[in-house]
Amino acid sequence: MDSFTEKLERAVFAFNFDDLMLLPGFSEIRSSDIRIETRFSAHISLKTPLVSSPMDTVTEAKMAIAMAENGGIGVLHRNMTPEEQLRMVREVKEHEPSSKNATVDKDGRLAVATALAPTDLDRAKVLSKEADALLFDVAHFHTKSILESAKKIIDSTDKDVIIGSMGTKEDVMHSVKTLGRVDGLRVGIGGGSICITTDVTKAGSPTPFAVSQAADAVAELDSKIPIIADGGIRTAGDIALVFALGADSAMLGFGLAGTDECPGEITTLDGKQYMEYRGMGSKGAREKRLVNDRYADTGGKKFDEGIEGLIPYKGSVADVINVMNSAVRASISYAGAGSIQEMAQNARIARVTGRTAKAEIKR
Ligand code: XMP
């Protein structure tokens, strides 16, 4: 065994968003011609590389419809009964697609994914007939008992199955080898804007690091499983950065929260408008008791792994997505690439050692 000093000295760099930037590269095409088509899972393609997170202040039917209409996809949260979730799947399916960019199933209806616990075979049976993809929604997927129950669900369905969350190459290699069929990977642990998992437990895997680890695992497995980067993504640049590290799409909680399509009401405080945004491990989200198994059952009293609060109201999600898409194209262009796939191949990344001070301007 190494000495403890060697163990410490061999600590890996688990880079986070603020540690990195994209280096500029030679660009041959106009920003508006940059292609941002991608894959969400093995059988679901997207025109917009954005996925709305399965959180109860972000994705219900209205958000899932708007995401699919605008070329992305929504993952319905699971803090509700299977019957309520199925009703929302049907609401999405009954909505007539009206945009040429819409994400649709083989019958031309809007596509939708649903979150579920990897232990919940009953819910899987209810949802699997009508939803396009099942996403296992737990904070730490790579455990013996979860792999065992996940395998039963995977064997029971022909729909795309996305596993997560995962943070290391070993997590991905072992999970994929054990399960056989995996159609998507959700990666990044503890990096979400409302997460306090890493503060409380000291465990986690920052999203840029987790993405690079997962992408290396996928390459080593000689597979093409799409990677969804999740947690802490705030700007278009963060999205372009995870593409450079091997991600195929970006999952957003905070980035889409506070829009008209989120569940919840607008609150006015001191003349400013706000909406609620909360972690699925927060006290409020846990009160319904349907998502408590997202986090480890330690046998003792549950502790909070997320926070809740108000964030500024942002207007319509279509506007947020449009701005995000054009800024992502700009980022890709700066990095000298022409598509998400070229970002993975060509974009160069730098470590940041300091930032230029911004001028202090009175506004
Ligand atoms: P952003 O930064 O987009 O992150 O708001 C959203 C992601 O955060 C995860 N999530 C949580 N993680 N405690 C956690 O540790 C929580 O209460 C919590 N709720 C959500 C989740 O992966 C989501 O997509």
Side-chain angles (χ1 to χ4, degrees):
M1 192 187 117
D2 296 340
S3 74
F4 288 110
T5 310
E6 281 164 338
K7 184 178 192 171
L8 186 59
E9 284 170 357
R10 261 207 281 278
V12 294
F13 281 107
F15 291 108
N16 214 333
F17 289 107
D18 279 350
D19 305 320
L20 302 167
M21 58 197 285
L22 288 167
L23 286 177
F26 178 57
S27 172
E28 297 173 71
I29 54 176
R30 287 191 315 212
S31 293
S32 54
D33 294 333
I34 283 170
R35 297 180 309 283
I36 54 169
E37 297 86 355
T38 190
R39 293 175 311 149
F40 166 68
S41 58
H43 302 97
I44 302 177
S45 299
L46 306 176
K47 299 257 172 44
T48 290
L50 303 178
V51 179
S52 68
S53 176
M55 299 172 74
D56 63 6
T57 47
V58 180
T59 312
E60 292 192 346
K62 231 169 136 185
M63 177 61 80
I65 290 169
M67 290 305 295
E69 273 288 359
N70 288 285
I73 193 163
V75 186
L76 295 170
H77 74 82
R78 64 183 180 91
N79 204 6
M80 55 180 135
T81 63
E83 292 70 33
E84 285 171 308
Q85 221 178 357
L86 180 63
R87 213 161 15 206
M88 288 192 195
V89 170
R90 289 182 176 159
E91 203 180 319
V92 177
K93 292 288 171 195
E94 280 159 16
H95 188 93
E96 255 333 287
S98 60
S99 121
K100 67 172 176 24
N101 285 332
T103 308
V104 290
D105 63 19
K106 61 179 183 352
D107 301 318
R109 299 171 307 171
L110 292 179
V112 61
T114 57
L116 73 165
T119 45
D120 201 346
L121 184 59
D122 292 342
R123 190 180 290 249
K125 284 184 181 152
V126 172
L127 295 169
S128 143
K129 283 192 216 85
E130 302 186 40
D132 298 281
L134 305 180
L135 177 143
F136 291 141
D137 178 44
V138 278
H140 180 214
F141 184 83
H142 191 200
T143 71
K144 187 164 183 279
S145 66
I146 287 180
L147 283 173
E148 280 165 12
S149 52
K151 176 101 180 100
K152 290 196 188 110
I153 296 182
I154 292 176
D155 290 345
S156 78
T157 180
D158 57 356
K159 295 299 172 69
D160 276 8
V161 176
I162 294 124
I163 66 169
S165 294
M166 277 168 298
T168 67
K169 190 174 168 186
E170 294 74 29
D171 283 352
V172 176
M173 298 284 291
H174 183 230
S175 301
V176 172
K177 280 185 188 162
T178 307
L179 296 172
R181 174 167 78 92
V182 169
D183 305 299
L185 300 165
R186 182 192 195 189
V187 309
I189 295 180
S193 61
I194 35 48
C195 295
I196 51 170
T197 296
T198 303
D199 305 82
V200 180
T201 66
K202 205 71 187 168
S205 180
T207 303
F209 173 74
V211 167
S212 69
Q213 290 270 301
D216 283 346
V218 168
E220 201 165 312
L221 289 163
D222 206 11
S223 137
K224 289 198 160 50
I225 309 172
I227 295 171
I228 306 160
D230 172 40
I233 297 170
R234 285 177 174 256
T235 64
D238 292 341
I239 297 175
L241 182 76
V242 292
F243 294 155
L245 292 166
D248 296 272
S249 68
M251 179 176 275
L252 304 179
F254 178 81
L256 302 168
T259 56
D260 290 323
E261 289 73 8
C262 293
E265 305 298 321
I266 298 173
T267 309
T268 306
L269 283 176
D270 298 331
K272 291 204 179 100
Q273 294 181 302
Y274 297 90
M275 284 180 79
E276 197 191 350
Y277 181 47
R278 67 184 186 192
M280 295 310 289
S282 65
K283 203 183 268 347
R286 279 167 174 275
E287 265 161 17
K288 271 187 126 176
R289 312 194 67 78
L290 287 160
V291 280
N292 290 11
D293 56 1
R294 222 183 105 73
Y295 303 92
D297 180 5
T298 48
K301 192 170 169 358
K302 293 274 186 198
F303 52 91
D304 296 342
E305 293 196 34
I307 54 167
E308 48 199 306
L310 295 173
I311 64 163
Y313 167 66
K314 297 190 189 121
S316 99
V317 81
D319 290 346
V320 171
I321 293 173
N322 278 332
V323 171
M324 200 57 107
N325 278 347
S326 79
V328 166
R329 285 194 169 92
S331 265
I332 295 177
S333 166
Y334 273 117
S339 65
I340 291 174
Q341 297 70 30
E342 278 182 32
M343 281 300 282
Q345 286 152 17
N346 305 333
R348 292 167 65 211
I349 291 170
R351 278 163 68 174
V352 179
T353 56
R355 264 173 210 278
T356 320
K358 303 282 177 227
E360 276 187 37
I361 296 171
K362 216 176 175 60
R363 297 185 209 222

